[in-house]
Amino acid sequence: MATQQEIKESLETFTENYNNNDRLKIMNRDWNRVVVVKATDVDSVHTWVLQDGVLKLKEGEADAPDLTVISDSETLADVFYGDITPIEPYNDGTLRIMGSEDDITRLDFICLMIWGE
Amino acid sequence: MQLKRVLTLRTVVATSAGLTLASSSFVAAVLVANYVLGDTAWIAILIGGALCFLAAACFSELNGLLPTAAGIRLYFSRAFNDQVSLVISLLYMLIVVIGVVGVESFILSQVLSEAFPAIPPYLWIVVMLLLVTGMNLRGIKMAGVFQDVVTYSLIAVMLFIGFFALYKVGFKLNAPLSPGGATGMIQAVAVGVFLFVGFEWVTPLVEEVTQVKQISRGMMIALGILSVVYAVFTVAMTAVVPKATLVASPAPQLVLARTVLGDLGASVMILVILATSLKTFNAGIISVSRFMYASAREHVLPAVFSKISMRFFTPYVAIITLFFIGLLAAALTMLTGNYVVLVGLAAAMESIVYTLAGLAVISLRRKMSDRERPYLIKGGYLVPLLTALVFTLLAVAVLASDISALLYIAAAFVVVLVYVNTAVPRLKKKYEARKPAARRRPARAPEGLESK
């Protein structure tokens, strides 16, 4: 089981890598979304706000997110550190993402562009 | 916590019905009518619809238990194993795409070349597929409201033409209650399943509704509406036009519209066919390209299919590949002219998937007995068992009556099985070799050392 701190660090690493990628920022400048990331086995809830292509991470939960990513702490830390693709735990039911199918796919595209295959 | 954007029941119904309504559905409707005597196709269609309710109940339970856009890929992997899930998912995508695109493009080309004889039929296919491929490459999606309007308009047009045709013959039907022998009826019901192919493709929307039960309700309502609409329209076709004429035509709906409403009716129906086929091609390309992308991301298809357009965020390699598969399927169908075999093929595959859905419900009730089920089929194992039994029988009935369909499905099964057992392990091995040697996630300090 990963700790709340590990999840936070994985999300910060992801945020930093995203914001260092100018191409991604341009591609997402019109994709303004709120994404909540929640762990099922530790007390950890974070919110990403993607506004005008820039990604910001906050602790705590947003009221009306566009996407909600829910999984166990280990999976969340592995996914956002880029050690596994989100599709693998998603297809085996370990990772749940609530939101539109297009937004789910876009989130995976972003992971792919940050971490590669 | 509430998601910002949620879908309404109206859109869930329209999506389920819209994915099902295709121009090729009417070819299947005529095949159904041809297996039974007189104007009794409505009986087979209503039975087919009622049987699909059983499958819908199974999908509702699976969808509530495992709410995911991955659909059967996850249900079957949890219920059986990953290999079964992969083989069936790949086979399903392959057969339904080739079957539906093949029949749909054949019908469309025949209809349009009849309206515009100077243009070669195959050119229409190329233009239509290019249009849909272009839209998908650029990430242009038909708006939800537009899809709702198209689907509900189509249903209204079918009901209007159907009732108007019946009114013209004074609602006089030929032996509407005497379908003939049991064999013909079983075959009619089996092919009738094709009329409802795709109703369950609405399950990926589960993450976009407020309650999981909305998906089940939407599927059931869509099945109810479709059963009635198909029954009315098919009986109208056989009551007004001789069956031999309908069977000989790739677009029997056009024959009926022209017979009862003249050139105006034919023009309206051509527009309807055009809109329906565009919608079907579009839905097919969206679903299957996303499936190919996801499969490439989990290393069961070559990595090239996970390539995405930097400008439009779309899986362009998967979309372009589907364009060529569509062209090939259309070319082969036009060359052989045997579009009917594709209807049987898709109906049989759909029946196999419904059979497995029934078995998956039974298996998951044992494997995941403690998990909460927002939708639980009443009556214990009766409905899932009945689903598995009935759809096995229907798959056998379709394949026994069409030996070509049996050969194609067997060949496709062998190819997919060999692929899953030989190519997939290689792809996974290749991926493992390419993976960074060290994990990016920092190693955790052993317990007790953190405080030192």
Side-chain angles (χ1 to χ4, degrees):
Chain A
M1 189 166 73
T3 61
Q4 196 265 357
Q5 185 59 27
E6 280 180 292
I7 296 176
K8 190 181 170 200
E9 282 168 11
S10 75
L11 296 173
E12 283 170 349
T13 307
F14 186 91
T15 309
E16 195 186 325
N17 276 278
Y18 173 91
N19 286 324
N20 287 339
N21 190 324
D22 290 335
R23 202 169 194 181
L24 261 178
K25 284 201 281 188
I26 293 169
M27 285 166 79
N28 287 312
R29 66 189 160 202
D30 298 322
W31 196 62
N32 296 331
R33 295 288 188 273
V34 175
V35 183
V36 166
V37 182
K38 232 178 186 178
T40 50
D41 51 353
V42 291
D43 186 18
S44 165
V45 184
H46 291 84
T47 299
W48 266 318
V49 179
L50 181 57
Q51 184 73 40
D52 303 325
V54 178
L55 188 61
K56 284 181 186 155
L57 181 68
K58 295 192 291 192
E59 289 225 24
E61 195 166 356
D63 284 340
D66 299 284
L67 278 168
T68 306
V69 182
I70 306 167
S71 190
D72 59 83
S73 53
E74 273 296 308
T75 304
L76 287 178
D78 279 346
V79 164
F80 293 113
Y81 266 121
D83 284 327
I84 56 171
T85 68
I87 290 283
E88 291 167 81
Y90 183 75
N91 275 359
D92 74 17
T94 319
L95 178 81
R96 189 171 170 205
I97 310 181
M98 292 157 73
S100 85
E101 215 184 335
D102 282 352
D103 285 351
I104 295 173
T105 311
R106 173 81 73 116
L107 192 63
D108 185 68
F109 283 166
I110 294 171
C111 292
L112 176 65
M113 288 191 64
I114 291 177
W115 302 119
E117 282 170 31
Chain B
M1 187 171 53
Q2 173 78 58
L3 286 171
K4 257 184 207 165
R5 281 166 297 173
V6 287
L7 298 177
T8 60
L9 183 63
R10 185 200 71 201
T11 299
V12 175
V13 174
T15 308
S16 183
L19 288 167
T20 305
L21 275 168
S23 300
S24 46
S25 304
F26 301 92
V27 173
V30 168
L31 288 176
V32 170
N34 208 33
Y35 277 124
V36 289
L37 298 177
D39 296 325
T40 54
W42 66 273
I43 301 175
I45 291 171
L46 291 186
I47 293 174
L51 294 178
C52 285
F53 269 95
L54 298 176
C58 292
F59 275 103
S60 297
E61 184 166 327
L62 294 171
N63 192 43
L65 180 68
L66 299 165
T68 170
I72 59 167
R73 178 81 182 91
L74 176 57
Y75 309 152
F76 294 171
S77 124
R78 283 288 177 95
F80 312 115
N81 59 48
D82 199 50
Q83 196 189 31
V84 171
S85 160
L86 199 52
V87 168
I88 296 298
S89 305
L90 289 171
L91 200 59
Y92 186 44
M93 289 292 162
L94 186 72
I95 287 180
V96 170
V97 165
I98 292 180
V100 173
V101 170
V103 184
E104 204 70 11
S105 53
F106 181 80
I107 292 167
L108 191 64
S109 62
Q110 298 303 309
V111 168
L112 291 176
S113 67
E114 198 183 308
F116 307 95
I119 301 171
Y122 195 66
L123 193 62
W124 283 114
I125 306 294
V126 177
V127 170
M128 295 291 283
L129 283 175
L130 268 177
L131 179 70
V132 177
T133 304
M135 276 169 63
N136 273 276
L137 282 176
R138 291 184 67 92
I140 299 168
K141 289 195 80 176
M142 291 183 188
V145 175
F146 175 76
Q147 297 216 47
D148 291 3
V149 170
V150 169
T151 304
Y152 288 121
S153 305
L154 179 59
I155 287 170
V157 167
M158 283 172 68
L159 279 177
F160 172 75
I161 294 179
F163 279 118
F164 189 70
L166 290 172
Y167 166 77
K168 278 191 100 170
V169 292
F171 289 89
K172 278 184 192 152
L173 300 178
N174 174 23
L177 297 169
S178 313
T183 312
M185 183 50 97
I186 291 171
Q187 281 171 333
V189 172
V191 175
V193 170
F194 183 86
L195 294 173
F196 305 96
V197 163
F199 77 85
E200 80 285 5
W201 284 31
V202 75
T203 52
L205 297 183
V206 66
E207 306 286 22
E208 298 179 58
V209 293
T210 44
Q211 288 178 321
V212 173
K213 279 188 176 175
Q214 259 184 318
I215 296 285
S216 3
R217 208 171 297 147
M219 277 195 293
M220 304 289 184
I221 296 173
L223 279 174
I225 293 173
L226 289 171
S227 302
V228 173
V229 170
Y230 280 135
V232 169
F233 197 84
T234 309
V235 170
M237 282 197 290
T238 55
V240 174
V241 185
K243 278 187 190 173
T245 311
L246 292 170
V247 171
S249 169
Q253 65 272 48
L254 183 60
V255 177
L256 176 68
R258 180 171 285 132
T259 308
V260 294
L261 291 167
D263 285 344
L264 176 70
S267 304
V268 170
M269 192 50 84
I270 287 172
L271 283 177
V272 166
I273 290 171
L274 199 63
T276 313
S277 294
L278 258 179
K279 187 173 58 59
T280 306
F281 284 148
N282 194 48
I285 287 192
I286 288 175
S287 311
V288 181
S289 64
R290 296 301 184 269
F291 171 79
M292 287 170 76
Y293 168 81
S295 302
R297 288 283 279 144
E298 62 164 337
H299 320 294
V300 297
L301 280 182
V304 70
F305 293 119
S306 68
K307 286 201 179 301
I308 49 170
S309 152
M310 293 297 149
R311 205 167 154 201
F312 303 112
F313 266 118
T314 48
Y316 70 94
V317 176
I319 293 171
I320 292 171
T321 306
L322 283 173
F323 167 74
F324 285 109
I325 291 176
L327 281 185
L328 186 68
L332 289 175
T333 314
M334 290 185 74
L335 275 176
T336 59
N338 193 4
Y339 57 94
V340 175
V341 70
L342 296 175
V343 174
L345 204 56
M349 191 62 226
E350 199 68 24
S351 295
I352 292 168
V353 168
Y354 294 168
T355 299
L356 290 172
L359 295 175
V361 170
I362 296 168
S363 165
L364 290 176
R365 279 195 189 171
R366 291 177 183 179
K367 286 187 179 172
M368 299 170 77
S369 54
D370 52 340
R371 277 277 286 265
E372 190 199 343
R373 284 165 169 77
Y375 184 99
L376 180 69
I377 308 170
K378 287 178 187 156
Y381 288 115
L382 183 66
V383 171
L385 263 178
L386 211 56
T387 307
L389 282 173
V390 163
F391 283 100
T392 303
L393 179 69
L394 294 182
V396 170
V398 172
L399 296 173
S401 65
D402 189 340
I403 204 74
S404 310
L406 177 64
L407 289 175
Y408 288 140
I409 211 165
F413 177 75
V414 170
V415 168
V416 172
L417 193 65
V418 169
Y419 175 83
V420 168
N421 282 305
T422 56
V424 172
R426 264 185 228 163
L427 287 172
K428 292 208 184 252
K429 214 170 158 186
K430 209 170 144 189
Y431 163 70
E432 288 300 325
R434 272 203 313 262
K435 249 169 84 168
R439 278 158 58 96
R440 296 186 185 98
R441 185 174 158 192
R444 202 183 305 168
E447 293 277 329
L449 287 180
E450 284 161 302
S451 57
K452 285 179 188 169

